[in-house]
Amino acid sequence: MNIRNYIDGTFSDPLGGQFLDNIDPSTGNAYGLIPRSQAADVDLAAAAAKAAFPSWSSLSAAERSSWLMKVSNAIDAKLDTLALAESKDNGKPLKLATTVDIPRARDNFKFYATAILHDAYETHDMGVNGFNYTLRQPIGVAGCISPWNLPLYLFSWKIAPALAAGNTVIAKPSEVTPATAYLLSEILDEIGFPKGVLNIVHGLGAEIGAAIVAHNDINIISFTGGTQTGKSISAVAAPMFKKISLELGGKNANVIFDDCDFKDAVNTSVRAAFANQGQICLCGSRIYVQRGIYEKFKIAFLERVNGLTVADPLSNEARIGAVVSKEHMEKVLRYIELAKEEGGTLLTGGYRVKLEGRCKKGYFIAPTVFENLPATCRTNQEEIFGPVVTLTPFDTEEEALTMANGTAYGLAATIWTSDLKTAHRMGAGLHAGIVWVNCWLLRDLRTPFGGVKQSGVGREGGFEALRFFTEPKNICIKL
Ligand code: NDP
């Protein structure tokens, strides 16, 4: 697959003529080229998006909805092709891409296509003196920058509300996983999507990502990625008074009380720890278990973890696929060494898995569990973003809350208890934007999504995203 930029409704190579290799992480082999675009390509995309804004933003909500539904239906029609491309590009099990990633991308477009049909403006009545109504108007050109872990899923989670709200878009997928974004541009072309409304530019974050953030004609930035990148984006965008939404890293606590539904807590905690090789910002990588069930939980958890098959992502039995790149694999393996140096007891995993045949050079890591690490050590503080978790016992609710809140991050947390009062107290006390009780990753697209502290600024999801991608304007009428 040789990927091209999609600017102003036309496929093009980067102006500088430079390309990068696209690597399949399950084999370690390059299987295509990616444009290494530069600021000049972003200029072209920005000009196209700016020119398309007046006509796109003046379409009725019903007309925009109809275009987004066409995109959603086309994703559905190509679900298997997109899932295969996602699995190959990212290393995730094909089953996961088929049942989660691509259906969710389809649903993101559908959700915002329908949400704008049910939107309403606020009014504030001043009695005999007058009244106010608040228009929510699109802002202009939105820059949408997304990461590699859930490529089309997160790409569409930004693009769909930006377009639905009436903005035009320049979108940059991660250079590590560009395939499904490219296939999306093919879909746009096939359905005759209005030119210049959605422009997809490929290249490195430090080059075109930075050029998008700094561009004078791109008025709003929606970013999902690492906390350090988020900081550098803020430093550029804030003095330019751009509206920014930052969905950043996480180091999420999974707190399991003695009175939990044991079987459900074990099974779901395994999924929360290792889904997508632990490369989901919401993964529960710090598992705190109340002392009364700690040993029993540990045995059951390890039994389940040892039953997870690390295999070719395209095979039916794969529960753990490849991590996304060689660099990322090396980073995760360094964290495993760090955990040992910090005195952690390795309970299972801790090594690179070498498969036979097609995947013999692939980037696979065994699901890894440590215990006996203090809550304050680096392993428990820094985002590893791989299949590595820690188990830690606790005695009291206060102790659990202190440890759960004791990192710089605050994206998500999970609580397992059958006591409603414990759930309410913990839910209120946890420093996190999302708290799951007796479940994990149970998502309702209408709910606000995002983190506190170094996990981000702003919220995506539901009408929050439509609010982000619009500017409120109050109109006051004197009677
Ligand atoms: P990065 O921050 O490295 O990259 C994210 C995106 O930003 C990529 O498209 C990247 O391009 C681009 N980028 C990199 N540098 C810049 C820059 N200076 N200016 C503008 N854009 C830039 O994150 P990863 O791709 O490594 O993703 C993993 C991170 O994402 C984890 O920390 C994870 O927690 C977080 N994440 C957060 C989520 C949330 O909702 N809170 C959800 C999912 C992931 P390129 O890849 O081409 O360099």
Side-chain angles (χ1 to χ4, degrees), residues 154-173:
L154 291 175
F155 200 57
S156 54
W157 189 229
K158 300 181 173 307
I159 290 169
L163 293 173
N167 303 282
T168 53
V169 171
I170 297 174
K172 189 200 103 56

Side-chain angles (χ1 to χ4, degrees), residues 20 78 95 176 206 212 222 232 261 265 307 337 359 385 418 434:
L20 303 157
K78 293 197 170 183
K95 190 171 175 217
V176 184
I212 289 171
S222 174
S232 70
D261 175 330
E337 289 312 307
C359 295
F385 216 55
S418 53
I434 303 152

Side-chain angles (χ1 to χ4, degrees), residues 140-423:
V141 180
C144 298
I145 302 175
S146 58
W148 48 255
N149 61 328
L150 303 166
L152 192 61
Y153 174 139
L154 291 175
F155 200 57
S156 54
W157 189 229
K158 300 181 173 307
I159 290 169
L163 293 173
N167 303 282
T168 53
V169 171
I170 297 174
K172 189 200 103 56
S174 170
E175 142 269 330
V176 184
T177 53
T180 47
Y182 173 65
L183 294 177
L184 177 65
S185 55
E186 287 193 342
I187 284 175
L188 299 175
D189 203 52
E190 280 162 25
I191 64 171
F193 201 75
K195 289 181 190 305
V197 171
L198 172 53
N199 305 276
I200 300 176
V201 188
H202 299 269
L204 295 171
E207 295 175 357
I208 57 156
I212 289 171
V213 173
H215 203 286
N216 277 323
D217 290 333
I218 301 177
N219 322 90
I220 178 165
I221 301 291
S222 174
F223 169 80
T224 299
T227 295
Q228 284 310 320
T229 317
K231 271 186 198 169
S232 70
I233 287 176
S234 286
V236 176
M240 296 177 81
F241 304 106
K242 295 192 183 198
K243 210 172 173 187
I244 45 176
S245 162
L246 302 173
E247 298 294 340
L248 309 176
K251 186 75 182 176
N252 310 303
N254 178 7
V255 183
I256 299 161
F257 287 91
D258 285 344
D259 64 355
C260 67
D261 175 330
F262 186 79
K263 198 170 159 207
D264 199 5
V266 171
N267 290 343
T268 309
S269 296
V270 171
R271 198 164 60 84
F274 298 112
N276 205 39
Q277 298 70 249
Q279 301 166 133
I280 303 179
C281 52
L282 304 164
C283 277
S285 55
R286 294 181 293 140
I287 306 174
Y288 297 110
V289 188
Q290 203 160 18
R291 189 89 56 191
I293 58 164
Y294 183 80
E295 288 302 325
K296 184 178 161 198
F297 182 93
K298 182 167 90 178
I299 291 165
F301 185 77
L302 290 174
E303 194 182 311
R304 284 293 320 274
V305 174
N306 289 330
L308 295 172
T309 309
V310 182
D312 181 342
L314 300 183
S315 68
N316 280 336
E317 72 269 19
R319 291 295 168 272
I320 305 277
V323 296
V324 77
S325 66
K326 184 165 184 283
E327 294 69 30
H328 193 60
M329 176 185 70
E330 286 165 356
K331 177 189 145 183
V332 174
L333 292 173
R334 278 198 300 278
Y335 268 109
I336 290 172
E337 289 312 307
L338 173 73
K340 291 179 194 162
E341 285 160 22
E342 290 185 318
T345 307
L346 180 63
L347 298 175
T348 190
Y351 55 90
R352 177 178 182 181
V353 176
K354 290 280 194 178
L355 298 178
E356 295 298 321
R358 191 185 86 87
C359 295
K360 67 174 189 287
K361 288 195 289 167
Y363 314 131
F364 296 86
I365 298 178
T368 300
V369 184
F370 281 97
E371 70 172 352
N372 289 330
L373 280 163
T376 50
C377 72
R378 282 183 58 201
T379 308
N380 273 323
Q381 290 290 319
E382 296 177 16
E383 185 185 40
I384 300 173
F385 216 55
V388 182
V389 302
T390 60
L391 292 179
T392 308
F394 69 90
D395 291 299
T396 65
E397 189 180 314
E398 292 69 29
E399 190 190 354
L401 192 60
T402 303
M403 289 195 290
N405 285 342
T407 75
Y409 294 104
L411 186 55
T414 301
I415 307 160
W416 291 92
T417 177
S418 53
D419 183 340
L420 202 53
K421 290 182 193 155
T422 308

